[in-house]
Amino acid sequence: QSVLTQPPSASGSPGQSVTISCTGLSFDVGAYDYVSWYQQLPGKAPKLLIYDVTKRPSGVPDRFSGSKSDNTASLTVSGLHYDDEADYYCASHRGVNTFGVIFGGGTKLTVL
Amino acid sequence: QVQLQQWGAGLLKPSETLSLTCTVYGGSFKNYYWSWLRQPPGKGLDWIGDVTHRGRANYNPSLQSRVAISVDPSKNQFSLKLQSVTAADTAVYYCATFDNINYYFDLWGQGTLVTVSS
């Protein structure tokens, strides 16, 4: 059972934008700006897309953007490409007075 | 550019000990925390634990009684041991670099499928 809540699926057509939500609690997602997002292509290891809620590592296209409001973080993929079809996972600091990382259950993004 | 390469036994019987090792290439072993994560088939990711280059480790509370993560800086390696495995420990296991300031995993190993079956 995942600690952070993500929708199991999302979809969009090429060129459209899709937003994936990630809901936690006031003492994890709501307490810190330590939300990260990962893309996992079939059979591959996850790849870091977003860290610190909004920051992109070098090499990640600016079509990927992150935000947060209260206990919910979001990943927006703009200008969908067919090769954006993958599983997307959010993660957060485990919570106040604890250590470690918790993940969402993942969202399967389908590009129609 | 840091790269991680991991290996270990892929098939275990219940009650045996899982053992995996990850070698770090192309970077200073002192610059990161080193983590292990796992992903059961068809499911999401779980953080197992992490370790510093000095060997100080943190573990997921749900696994703390069975897990140990160690480092060998002389070989640029860190290792995972998980005792008393059951079928529920069947998963792809990943090693990764961990930024302990902002809590994210930036570089990942290729993954190792570990199956527990009698």
Side-chain angles (χ1 to χ4, degrees):
Chain A
Q1 183 178 357
S2 301
V3 183
L4 303 178
T5 301
Q6 296 181 235
S9 63
S11 63
S13 299
Q16 289 185 334
S17 294
V18 170
T19 297
I20 299 170
S21 62
C22 170
T23 301
L25 300 171
S26 60
F27 55 82
D28 44 56
V29 173
Y32 302 98
D33 285 340
Y34 295 151
V35 176
S36 53
W37 288 91
Y38 303 86
Q39 178 193 59
Q40 188 174 34
L41 297 171
K44 300 294 186 181
K47 171 190 171 184
L48 177 67
L49 283 181
I50 298 285
Y51 66 99
D52 290 359
V53 177
T54 62
K55 298 177 182 176
R56 283 186 308 276
S58 174
V60 174
D62 60 6
R63 301 186 298 105
F64 295 92
S65 61
S67 62
K68 192 185 84 165
S69 177
D70 296 328
N71 303 338
T72 298
S74 298
L75 172 72
T76 297
V77 186
S78 304
L80 275 174
H81 295 178
Y82 283 114
D83 58 8
D84 295 330
E85 188 161 293
D87 293 324
Y88 292 83
Y89 293 92
C90 63
S92 169
H93 186 292
R94 181 172 290 272
V96 176
N97 295 325
T98 66
F99 49 81
V101 176
I102 50 177
F103 285 89
T107 298
K108 170 67 178 177
L109 174 61
T110 301
V111 182
L112 303 170
Chain B
Q1 174 72 356
V2 173
Q3 292 186 328
L4 306 178
Q5 187 165 6
Q6 57 183 102
W7 73 90
L11 181 60
L12 297 173
K13 291 182 167 51
S15 80
E16 291 184 334
T17 296
L18 179 156
S19 182
L20 297 173
T21 298
C22 188
T23 300
V24 181
Y25 295 97
S28 172
F29 201 68
K30 296 181 180 180
N31 288 351
Y32 295 93
Y33 277 41
W34 307 99
S35 282
W36 289 97
L37 304 96
R38 69 181 184 179
Q39 185 173 32
K43 296 187 179 180
L45 296 160
D46 287 319
W47 169 74
I48 297 172
D50 58 68
V51 68
T52 70
H53 70 280
R54 296 181 184 272
R56 187 187 67 169
N58 294 309
Y59 301 122
N60 188 320
S62 68
L63 296 170
Q64 188 159 1
S65 63
R66 299 193 291 132
V67 68
I69 299 176
S70 59
V71 294
D72 186 343
S74 68
K75 296 181 180 179
N76 272 18
Q77 291 178 345
F78 61 107
S79 298
L80 169 70
K81 290 191 185 301
L82 182 65
Q83 298 178 326
S84 305
V85 298
T86 69
D89 295 309
T90 294
V92 176
Y93 287 75
Y94 293 100
C95 60
T97 59
F98 178 56
D99 183 304
N100 66 300
I101 303 299
N102 296 329
Y103 279 76
Y104 61 88
F105 306 96
D106 49 359
L107 297 170
W108 297 65
Q110 78 276 21
T112 300
L113 174 61
V114 177
T115 302
V116 181
S117 175
S118 56

